[in-house]
Amino acid sequence: MLAHELRNPLSPIRSALEVMQLKGFDDPQVRKCRDIIDRQVQQLTRLVDDLLEVSRINSGKIQLQVERVDLTAAAQRGVETSRPGIDAKGHQLVFSAPDAPVWVSADLTRMAQVVGNLVNNAAKYTESGGRISVQVAREAGEGVIRIRDSGIGIAPEMLMRVFELF
């Protein structure tokens, strides 16, 4: 029921966004904001769709939409969703990536979600004014994302449990 209720406001947001795109605002700042809204509505829609499949999530059978993805674009989307938390605490964000795309077979939304979650945690647990770095690289033919921060880190006894659900 919650997933259906969350889905209802997404339709008018999507419609308003389409009207904005049809009107073709020339201001670069407006275009940038519109693009951000578009990407975030896509991500919210996907997440709400996942809520509709709660039984599949609980059984670990989330269906990934694997496609050819530029890892840099996925990391940038994840950072974008984390920007409010980064800015609120006055963190310095350093993003680095190769000039050429780093192509991987992945689910773009899930990759962005993972990066967003990690960067959100970095922003949350790093003292105000700290440093967060996100690095995309290609190493030994594989795409790699590294996220580092100047926070206190995870207690060694928690490392084995860090990826457990809740």
Side-chain angles (χ1 to χ4, degrees), residues 8-88:
N8 288 339
L10 289 174
S11 290
I13 292 170
R14 169 67 61 203
S15 295
L17 184 60
E18 288 174 5
V19 168
M20 289 172 65
Q21 288 170 335
L22 288 173
K23 292 292 181 183
F25 295 105
D26 290 334
D27 185 302
Q29 185 85 20
V30 172
R31 280 196 311 270
K32 181 179 178 185
C33 290
R34 186 184 62 216
D35 292 345
I36 289 170
I37 293 168
D38 183 42
R39 286 191 299 274
Q40 296 309 310
V41 166
Q42 287 177 23
Q43 188 157 342
L44 276 172
T45 300
R46 177 85 186 275
L47 293 172
V48 169
D49 287 345
D50 286 346
L51 280 175
L52 292 171
E53 300 178 5
V54 172
S55 64
R56 295 184 74 205
I57 292 170
N58 287 338
S59 64
K61 297 180 182 177
I62 297 173
Q63 187 169 7
L64 298 176
Q65 294 179 4
V66 178
E67 58 187 336
R68 186 173 189 229
V69 170
D70 177 7
L71 201 54
T72 300
Q76 288 171 327
R77 284 188 184 192
V79 167
E80 183 179 279
T81 63
S82 306
R83 184 52 84 172
I86 294 167
D87 293 344

Coordinates of all heavy atoms in Angstrom, one line a residue, residues 8-88:
N8 N 1.9 7.6 -6.5 CA 0.9 8.6 -7.0 C 1.5 9.9 -7.3 O 1.2 10.5 -8.3 CB -0.2 8.7 -6.0 CG -1.1 7.4 -6.1 OD1 -1.1 6.7 -7.1 ND2 -1.9 7.2 -5.0
P9 N 2.3 10.5 -6.4 CA 2.8 11.9 -6.7 C 3.9 11.9 -7.8 O 4.2 13.0 -8.3 CB 3.4 12.4 -5.4 CG 3.5 11.2 -4.5 CD 2.6 10.1 -5.0
L10 N 4.4 10.8 -8.2 CA 5.5 10.8 -9.2 C 4.9 11.1 -10.6 O 5.6 11.7 -11.4 CB 6.2 9.4 -9.2 CG 7.1 9.1 -8.0 CD1 7.7 7.7 -8.1 CD2 8.2 10.2 -8.0
S11 N 3.7 10.7 -10.8 CA 3.1 11.0 -12.2 C 2.9 12.5 -12.4 O 3.4 12.9 -13.5 CB 1.7 10.3 -12.3 OG 1.9 8.9 -12.4
P12 N 2.4 13.3 -11.5 CA 2.3 14.7 -11.8 C 3.7 15.4 -11.9 O 3.9 16.3 -12.6 CB 1.5 15.3 -10.7 CG 1.3 14.2 -9.7 CD 1.6 12.9 -10.3
I13 N 4.6 14.9 -11.1 CA 6.0 15.4 -11.2 C 6.6 15.1 -12.6 O 7.2 16.0 -13.2 CB 6.9 14.8 -10.1 CG1 6.4 15.3 -8.7 CG2 8.4 15.2 -10.3 CD1 7.1 14.6 -7.5
R14 N 6.4 13.9 -13.0 CA 6.9 13.5 -14.4 C 6.2 14.4 -15.4 O 6.8 14.9 -16.4 CB 6.6 12.1 -14.6 CG 6.8 11.6 -16.0 CD 8.2 11.6 -16.6 NE 9.1 10.7 -15.8 CZ 10.4 10.9 -15.7 NH1 11.0 11.9 -16.4 NH2 11.2 10.1 -15.0
S15 N 4.9 14.6 -15.3 CA 4.1 15.4 -16.3 C 4.6 16.9 -16.3 O 4.8 17.5 -17.3 CB 2.6 15.4 -16.0 OG 2.1 14.1 -16.1
A16 N 4.9 17.4 -15.1 CA 5.4 18.8 -15.0 C 6.7 18.9 -15.6 O 7.0 19.9 -16.3 CB 5.4 19.3 -13.6
L17 N 7.5 17.9 -15.4 CA 8.9 17.9 -16.0 C 8.8 17.9 -17.5 O 9.6 18.6 -18.2 CB 9.7 16.7 -15.5 CG 11.1 16.5 -15.9 CD1 11.9 17.8 -15.4 CD2 11.7 15.3 -15.3
E18 N 7.9 17.1 -18.1 CA 7.7 17.0 -19.5 C 7.3 18.3 -20.1 O 7.7 18.8 -21.2 CB 6.7 15.9 -19.9 CG 7.3 14.5 -19.7 CD 6.3 13.4 -19.9 OE1 5.2 13.6 -20.3 OE2 6.7 12.2 -19.6
V19 N 6.4 19.1 -19.4 CA 6.0 20.4 -19.8 C 7.2 21.3 -19.9 O 7.4 22.1 -20.8 CB 4.9 20.9 -18.9 CG1 4.6 22.4 -19.2 CG2 3.6 20.1 -19.1
M20 N 8.0 21.2 -18.8 CA 9.2 22.1 -18.8 C 10.1 21.8 -19.9 O 10.7 22.7 -20.5 CB 10.0 21.9 -17.4 CG 9.2 22.4 -16.2 SD 10.0 21.9 -14.7 CE 11.6 22.8 -14.8
Q21 N 10.2 20.5 -20.3 CA 11.1 20.1 -21.4 C 10.5 20.6 -22.7 O 11.3 21.1 -23.6 CB 11.3 18.6 -21.4 CG 12.2 18.1 -20.3 CD 12.2 16.6 -20.1 OE1 11.3 15.9 -20.5 NE2 13.3 16.1 -19.5
L22 N 9.2 20.6 -22.9 CA 8.6 21.1 -24.1 C 8.7 22.6 -24.3 O 8.9 23.1 -25.4 CB 7.1 20.7 -24.1 CG 6.8 19.2 -24.4 CD1 5.3 18.9 -24.2 CD2 7.3 18.8 -25.7
K23 N 8.7 23.3 -23.2 CA 8.8 24.8 -23.2 C 10.2 25.2 -23.5 O 10.4 26.3 -24.0 CB 8.4 25.4 -21.9 CG 6.9 25.2 -21.6 CD 6.1 26.0 -22.5 CE 4.6 25.9 -22.2 NZ 3.8 26.6 -23.2
G24 N 11.2 24.3 -23.4 CA 12.6 24.6 -23.8 C 13.2 25.8 -23.2 O 13.7 26.6 -23.9
F25 N 13.2 25.8 -21.9 CA 13.9 26.9 -21.2 C 15.4 27.0 -21.6 O 16.1 26.0 -21.7 CB 13.8 26.8 -19.7 CG 12.4 26.9 -19.1 CD1 11.8 25.7 -18.7 CD2 11.8 28.1 -19.0 CE1 10.5 25.8 -18.3 CE2 10.5 28.1 -18.6 CZ 9.8 27.0 -18.2
D26 N 15.8 28.2 -22.0 CA 17.2 28.4 -22.5 C 18.2 28.6 -21.4 O 19.4 28.4 -21.6 CB 17.2 29.6 -23.5 CG 16.5 29.3 -24.8 OD1 16.4 28.1 -25.1 OD2 16.0 30.2 -25.4
D27 N 17.8 29.0 -20.2 CA 18.7 29.3 -19.1 C 19.5 28.0 -18.8 O 18.8 27.0 -18.4 CB 18.0 29.8 -17.9 CG 18.9 30.2 -16.8 OD1 19.7 29.4 -16.3 OD2 18.8 31.4 -16.4
P28 N 20.8 28.0 -18.8 CA 21.6 26.8 -18.5 C 21.3 26.3 -17.0 O 21.3 25.1 -16.8 CB 23.1 27.2 -18.6 CG 23.0 28.5 -19.3 CD 21.7 29.1 -19.2
Q29 N 21.1 27.2 -16.1 CA 20.8 26.8 -14.7 C 19.5 26.0 -14.6 O 19.4 25.0 -14.0 CB 20.8 28.0 -13.8 CG 20.6 27.7 -12.4 CD 22.0 27.4 -11.7 OE1 23.0 27.8 -12.2 NE2 21.9 26.7 -10.6
V30 N 18.5 26.5 -15.4 CA 17.2 25.9 -15.4 C 17.3 24.5 -16.0 O 16.7 23.5 -15.6 CB 16.1 26.7 -16.1 CG1 14.8 26.0 -16.3 CG2 15.9 28.0 -15.4
R31 N 18.0 24.4 -17.2 CA 18.3 23.1 -17.8 C 18.9 22.1 -16.9 O 18.6 20.9 -16.8 CB 19.1 23.3 -19.1 CG 18.2 23.7 -20.3 CD 19.0 23.5 -21.6 NE 20.3 24.0 -21.6 CZ 20.7 25.2 -22.0 NH1 19.8 26.1 -22.4 NH2 22.0 25.6 -22.0
K32 N 19.9 22.6 -16.2 CA 20.7 21.7 -15.2 C 19.7 21.2 -14.1 O 19.7 20.0 -13.8 CB 21.9 22.5 -14.6 CG 22.7 21.6 -13.6 CD 23.8 22.4 -13.1 CE 24.6 21.5 -12.1 NZ 25.6 22.3 -11.4
C33 N 18.9 22.1 -13.6 CA 18.0 21.7 -12.5 C 16.9 20.7 -13.1 O 16.6 19.7 -12.4 CB 17.3 22.9 -12.0 SG 18.4 24.0 -11.0
R34 N 16.5 21.0 -14.3 CA 15.5 20.1 -14.9 C 16.1 18.7 -15.1 O 15.4 17.7 -14.8 CB 15.0 20.7 -16.2 CG 13.9 19.9 -16.9 CD 13.6 20.5 -18.3 NE 14.7 20.4 -19.1 CZ 15.1 21.3 -20.0 NH1 14.4 22.4 -20.2 NH2 16.1 21.1 -20.8
D35 N 17.3 18.6 -15.5 CA 18.0 17.3 -15.7 C 18.2 16.6 -14.4 O 18.0 15.4 -14.3 CB 19.4 17.5 -16.4 CG 19.2 18.0 -17.8 OD1 18.1 17.9 -18.4 OD2 20.3 18.5 -18.4
I36 N 18.5 17.3 -13.3 CA 18.6 16.7 -12.0 C 17.3 16.1 -11.6 O 17.2 15.0 -11.1 CB 19.1 17.7 -11.0 CG1 20.6 18.0 -11.3 CG2 19.0 17.2 -9.6 CD1 21.1 19.2 -10.4
I37 N 16.2 16.9 -11.7 CA 14.9 16.4 -11.4 C 14.5 15.2 -12.2 O 14.0 14.2 -11.6 CB 13.8 17.5 -11.6 CG1 14.1 18.7 -10.6 CG2 12.4 17.0 -11.4 CD1 13.2 19.9 -10.9
D38 N 14.8 15.2 -13.5 CA 14.5 14.1 -14.3 C 15.2 12.8 -13.8 O 14.6 11.7 -13.7 CB 14.9 14.4 -15.8 CG 14.5 13.3 -16.7 OD1 13.4 12.7 -16.6 OD2 15.4 12.9 -17.6
R39 N 16.5 12.9 -13.6 CA 17.2 11.7 -13.1 C 16.7 11.2 -11.7 O 16.6 10.0 -11.5 CB 18.7 12.0 -13.0 CG 19.4 12.1 -14.4 CD 20.9 12.2 -14.3 NE 21.4 13.3 -13.5 CZ 21.6 14.5 -14.1 NH1 21.4 14.7 -15.4 NH2 22.1 15.5 -13.4
Q40 N 16.4 12.2 -10.9 CA 16.0 11.8 -9.5 C 14.6 11.1 -9.6 O 14.3 10.2 -8.8 CB 16.0 12.9 -8.6 CG 17.4 13.5 -8.3 CD 18.4 12.4 -7.9 OE1 18.1 11.6 -7.0 NE2 19.5 12.3 -8.6
V41 N 13.7 11.6 -10.5 CA 12.4 11.0 -10.6 C 12.5 9.6 -11.2 O 11.8 8.7 -10.7 CB 11.4 11.9 -11.5 CG1 10.2 11.1 -11.9 CG2 11.0 13.2 -10.8
Q42 N 13.4 9.4 -12.1 CA 13.7 8.1 -12.6 C 14.1 7.2 -11.5 O 13.7 6.0 -11.4 CB 14.8 8.1 -13.7 CG 14.3 8.7 -15.0 CD 15.5 8.8 -16.0 OE1 16.4 8.1 -15.9 NE2 15.3 9.7 -17.0
Q43 N 15.0 7.7 -10.7 CA 15.5 6.8 -9.6 C 14.4 6.5 -8.6 O 14.3 5.4 -8.1 CB 16.7 7.5 -8.9 CG 17.4 6.6 -7.9 CD 18.9 6.9 -7.6 OE1 19.5 7.7 -8.4 NE2 19.4 6.4 -6.6
L44 N 13.7 7.5 -8.2 CA 12.6 7.3 -7.3 C 11.5 6.4 -7.8 O 11.0 5.5 -7.1 CB 11.9 8.7 -7.0 CG 12.5 9.5 -5.9 CD1 11.8 10.9 -5.8 CD2 12.4 8.8 -4.5
T45 N 11.2 6.5 -9.1 CA 10.3 5.6 -9.7 C 10.8 4.1 -9.6 O 10.1 3.2 -9.3 CB 10.1 5.9 -11.2 OG1 9.5 7.3 -11.2 CG2 9.1 5.0 -11.9
R46 N 12.1 3.9 -9.9 CA 12.7 2.6 -9.8 C 12.6 2.1 -8.4 O 12.3 0.9 -8.2 CB 14.1 2.7 -10.3 CG 14.8 1.4 -10.3 CD 14.6 0.5 -11.5 NE 15.2 -0.8 -11.3 CZ 16.4 -1.1 -11.6 NH1 17.2 -0.1 -12.1 NH2 16.9 -2.3 -11.4
L47 N 12.9 2.9 -7.4 CA 12.9 2.5 -6.0 C 11.5 2.1 -5.5 O 11.3 1.1 -4.8 CB 13.5 3.6 -5.1 CG 15.0 3.8 -5.3 CD1 15.5 5.0 -4.5 CD2 15.8 2.6 -5.0
V48 N 10.5 2.9 -6.0 CA 9.1 2.6 -5.6 C 8.7 1.3 -6.3 O 8.0 0.5 -5.6 CB 8.2 3.8 -6.0 CG1 6.7 3.4 -5.9 CG2 8.5 5.0 -5.1
D49 N 9.1 1.1 -7.5 CA 8.8 -0.2 -8.1 C 9.3 -1.3 -7.3 O 8.7 -2.4 -7.2 CB 9.3 -0.2 -9.6 CG 8.6 0.7 -10.5 OD1 7.4 1.1 -10.2 OD2 9.1 1.0 -11.6
D50 N 10.5 -1.1 -6.8 CA 11.1 -2.2 -6.0 C 10.3 -2.4 -4.7 O 10.2 -3.6 -4.3 CB 12.6 -1.9 -5.6 CG 13.5 -2.0 -6.8 OD1 13.1 -2.6 -7.8 OD2 14.6 -1.5 -6.7
L51 N 9.8 -1.4 -4.1 CA 8.9 -1.6 -3.0 C 7.7 -2.4 -3.3 O 7.2 -3.1 -2.4 CB 8.5 -0.2 -2.4 CG 9.5 0.6 -1.6 CD1 8.9 1.9 -1.2 CD2 9.8 -0.2 -0.3
L52 N 7.2 -2.3 -4.5 CA 6.1 -3.1 -4.9 C 6.4 -4.6 -5.0 O 5.5 -5.4 -5.0 CB 5.6 -2.6 -6.3 CG 4.9 -1.3 -6.3 CD1 4.7 -0.8 -7.7 CD2 3.7 -1.3 -5.5
E53 N 7.7 -4.9 -4.9 CA 8.1 -6.3 -5.0 C 8.8 -6.7 -3.7 O 9.8 -7.4 -3.6 CB 9.1 -6.5 -6.1 CG 8.5 -6.2 -7.5 CD 9.5 -6.3 -8.6 OE1 10.6 -6.8 -8.4 OE2 9.1 -6.0 -9.7
V54 N 8.2 -6.3 -2.6 CA 8.8 -6.6 -1.2 C 9.1 -8.0 -1.0 O 10.2 -8.4 -0.5 CB 7.8 -6.0 -0.1 CG1 8.3 -6.5 1.2 CG2 7.7 -4.5 -0.2
S55 N 8.2 -8.9 -1.4 CA 8.5 -10.3 -1.2 C 9.8 -10.8 -1.9 O 10.5 -11.6 -1.4 CB 7.3 -11.2 -1.6 OG 7.1 -11.1 -3.0
R56 N 10.0 -10.2 -3.1 CA 11.2 -10.6 -3.9 C 12.4 -10.0 -3.2 O 13.5 -10.6 -3.2 CB 11.0 -10.1 -5.3 CG 9.9 -10.8 -6.1 CD 9.9 -10.4 -7.5 NE 11.0 -11.1 -8.2 CZ 11.5 -10.6 -9.3 NH1 11.1 -9.5 -9.8 NH2 12.5 -11.2 -9.8
I57 N 12.3 -8.8 -2.7 CA 13.4 -8.2 -2.0 C 13.8 -9.0 -0.8 O 15.0 -9.3 -0.5 CB 13.1 -6.7 -1.6 CG1 13.0 -5.9 -2.9 CG2 14.2 -6.2 -0.7 CD1 12.4 -4.5 -2.7
N58 N 12.8 -9.4 0.0 CA 13.1 -10.1 1.2 C 13.7 -11.5 0.9 O 14.4 -12.0 1.7 CB 11.8 -10.3 2.0 CG 11.3 -9.1 2.7 OD1 12.1 -8.2 2.9 ND2 10.1 -9.0 3.0
S59 N 13.4 -12.1 -0.2 CA 14.0 -13.3 -0.5 C 15.3 -13.2 -1.3 O 15.9 -14.2 -1.8 CB 13.0 -14.2 -1.3 OG 12.7 -13.6 -2.6
G60 N 15.8 -11.9 -1.5 CA 17.0 -11.7 -2.2 C 17.0 -11.9 -3.7 O 18.0 -12.2 -4.3
K61 N 15.8 -11.7 -4.3 CA 15.6 -11.9 -5.7 C 15.3 -10.6 -6.5 O 14.4 -10.6 -7.3 CB 14.5 -12.9 -6.0 CG 14.9 -14.3 -5.4 CD 13.7 -15.3 -5.7 CE 14.0 -16.6 -5.1 NZ 12.9 -17.6 -5.3
I62 N 16.0 -9.6 -6.1 CA 15.8 -8.3 -6.9 C 16.3 -8.5 -8.3 O 17.4 -9.0 -8.5 CB 16.6 -7.2 -6.2 CG1 16.2 -6.9 -4.8 CG2 16.5 -5.9 -7.0 CD1 17.0 -5.9 -4.0
Q63 N 15.5 -8.1 -9.2 CA 15.9 -8.3 -10.6 C 16.7 -7.1 -11.1 O 16.2 -6.0 -11.1 CB 14.7 -8.5 -11.5 CG 15.0 -8.8 -12.9 CD 13.8 -9.3 -13.7 OE1 12.7 -9.2 -13.3 NE2 14.0 -9.7 -14.9
L64 N 17.9 -7.3 -11.4 CA 18.8 -6.2 -11.9 C 18.5 -5.9 -13.3 O 18.3 -6.8 -14.1 CB 20.2 -6.5 -11.6 CG 20.7 -6.7 -10.2 CD1 22.1 -7.2 -10.1 CD2 20.4 -5.5 -9.4
Q65 N 18.6 -4.7 -13.7 CA 18.5 -4.3 -15.1 C 20.0 -4.0 -15.6 O 20.4 -2.9 -15.7 CB 17.6 -3.1 -15.3 CG 16.2 -3.4 -14.9 CD 15.3 -2.2 -15.1 OE1 15.7 -1.1 -15.5 NE2 14.0 -2.4 -14.7
V66 N 20.7 -5.1 -16.0 CA 22.1 -5.0 -16.3 C 22.2 -4.5 -17.8 O 21.5 -5.0 -18.7 CB 22.8 -6.3 -16.2 CG1 24.2 -6.2 -16.6 CG2 22.7 -6.8 -14.7
E67 N 23.0 -3.5 -18.0 CA 23.2 -2.9 -19.3 C 24.6 -2.4 -19.3 O 25.3 -2.3 -18.3 CB 22.2 -1.9 -19.6 CG 22.2 -0.7 -18.6 CD 21.1 0.3 -18.8 OE1 20.5 0.4 -19.9 OE2 20.7 0.9 -17.8
R68 N 25.1 -1.9 -20.5 CA 26.4 -1.2 -20.6 C 26.3 0.1 -19.9 O 25.4 1.0 -20.4 CB 26.8 -1.1 -22.1 CG 28.2 -0.6 -22.3 CD 28.5 -0.7 -23.7 NE 29.9 -0.4 -23.9 CZ 30.4 0.5 -24.8 NH1 29.6 1.1 -25.6 NH2 31.7 0.7 -24.9
V69 N 27.1 0.4 -18.9 CA 27.0 1.6 -18.1 C 28.3 2.2 -18.0 O 29.3 1.5 -17.8 CB 26.4 1.2 -16.7 CG1 26.5 2.4 -15.7 CG2 25.0 0.7 -16.8
D70 N 28.4 3.5 -18.1 CA 29.6 4.3 -17.8 C 29.7 4.5 -16.3 O 28.8 5.1 -15.7 CB 29.6 5.6 -18.5 CG 30.8 6.5 -18.2 OD1 31.8 6.0 -17.6 OD2 30.8 7.6 -18.6
L71 N 30.7 3.8 -15.7 CA 30.8 3.9 -14.2 C 30.9 5.3 -13.7 O 30.5 5.6 -12.6 CB 32.0 3.0 -13.8 CG 32.0 2.5 -12.4 CD1 30.8 1.7 -12.0 CD2 33.3 1.6 -12.2
T72 N 31.5 6.2 -14.5 CA 31.7 7.6 -14.1 C 30.3 8.2 -13.9 O 30.0 8.9 -13.0 CB 32.6 8.3 -15.0 OG1 33.9 7.7 -15.1 CG2 32.7 9.8 -14.6
A73 N 29.4 8.0 -14.9 CA 28.1 8.5 -14.9 C 27.3 8.0 -13.7 O 26.6 8.7 -13.0 CB 27.3 8.2 -16.2
A74 N 27.4 6.7 -13.4 CA 26.8 6.1 -12.2 C 27.3 6.8 -10.9 O 26.5 7.1 -10.0 CB 27.0 4.6 -12.2
A75 N 28.6 6.9 -10.8 CA 29.1 7.5 -9.6 C 28.7 9.0 -9.5 O 28.4 9.5 -8.4 CB 30.7 7.5 -9.6
Q76 N 28.6 9.7 -10.6 CA 28.2 11.1 -10.5 C 26.7 11.2 -10.1 O 26.4 12.1 -9.3 CB 28.4 11.8 -11.9 CG 29.8 12.1 -12.3 CD 30.0 12.5 -13.7 OE1 29.3 12.1 -14.6 NE2 31.0 13.3 -13.9
R77 N 25.9 10.3 -10.5 CA 24.5 10.3 -10.1 C 24.4 10.1 -8.6 O 23.6 10.7 -7.9 CB 23.7 9.3 -10.8 CG 23.3 9.7 -12.2 CD 22.4 8.7 -12.8 NE 22.1 9.0 -14.2 CZ 21.2 8.5 -14.9 NH1 20.4 7.6 -14.4 NH2 21.0 8.9 -16.2
G78 N 25.2 9.1 -8.1 CA 25.2 8.8 -6.7 C 25.7 10.0 -5.8 O 25.1 10.4 -4.8
V79 N 26.7 10.7 -6.3 CA 27.2 11.9 -5.6 C 26.1 13.0 -5.6 O 25.9 13.7 -4.6 CB 28.5 12.4 -6.3 CG1 28.9 13.8 -5.8 CG2 29.6 11.4 -6.0
E80 N 25.5 13.1 -6.8 CA 24.4 14.2 -6.9 C 23.3 14.0 -5.8 O 22.9 15.0 -5.3 CB 23.8 14.0 -8.3 CG 22.8 15.1 -8.6 CD 22.3 14.8 -10.1 OE1 23.0 15.3 -11.0 OE2 21.2 14.2 -10.2
T81 N 22.9 12.8 -5.6 CA 21.9 12.6 -4.6 C 22.4 12.9 -3.2 O 21.6 13.2 -2.3 CB 21.3 11.1 -4.6 OG1 22.4 10.2 -4.2 CG2 20.8 10.8 -5.9
S82 N 23.7 12.9 -3.0 CA 24.3 13.1 -1.7 C 24.7 14.5 -1.4 O 25.1 14.9 -0.3 CB 25.6 12.2 -1.5 OG 25.2 10.9 -1.8
R83 N 24.6 15.3 -2.5 CA 25.1 16.7 -2.4 C 24.5 17.5 -1.2 O 25.3 18.2 -0.5 CB 24.9 17.4 -3.7 CG 25.4 18.8 -3.8 CD 26.8 18.9 -3.5 NE 27.7 18.6 -4.5 CZ 29.0 18.8 -4.5 NH1 29.6 19.3 -3.4 NH2 29.8 18.5 -5.5
P84 N 23.2 17.4 -0.9 CA 22.7 18.2 0.2 C 23.4 17.9 1.5 O 23.7 18.8 2.3 CB 21.2 17.8 0.3 CG 20.9 17.4 -1.1 CD 22.1 16.7 -1.6
G85 N 23.7 16.7 1.8 CA 24.4 16.3 3.1 C 25.8 16.8 3.1 O 26.3 17.2 4.1
I86 N 26.4 16.7 1.9 CA 27.8 17.2 1.8 C 27.9 18.7 2.1 O 28.7 19.2 2.8 CB 28.4 16.8 0.4 CG1 28.5 15.3 0.2 CG2 29.7 17.5 0.2 CD1 28.7 14.9 -1.2
D87 N 27.0 19.4 1.4 CA 27.0 20.9 1.5 C 26.6 21.3 2.9 O 27.2 22.3 3.4 CB 26.0 21.5 0.5 CG 26.5 21.3 -1.0 OD1 27.7 21.0 -1.1 OD2 25.7 21.5 -1.9
A88 N 25.6 20.6 3.5 CA 25.1 21.0 4.9 C 26.3 21.0 5.9 O 26.3 21.7 6.8 CB 24.0 20.1 5.3

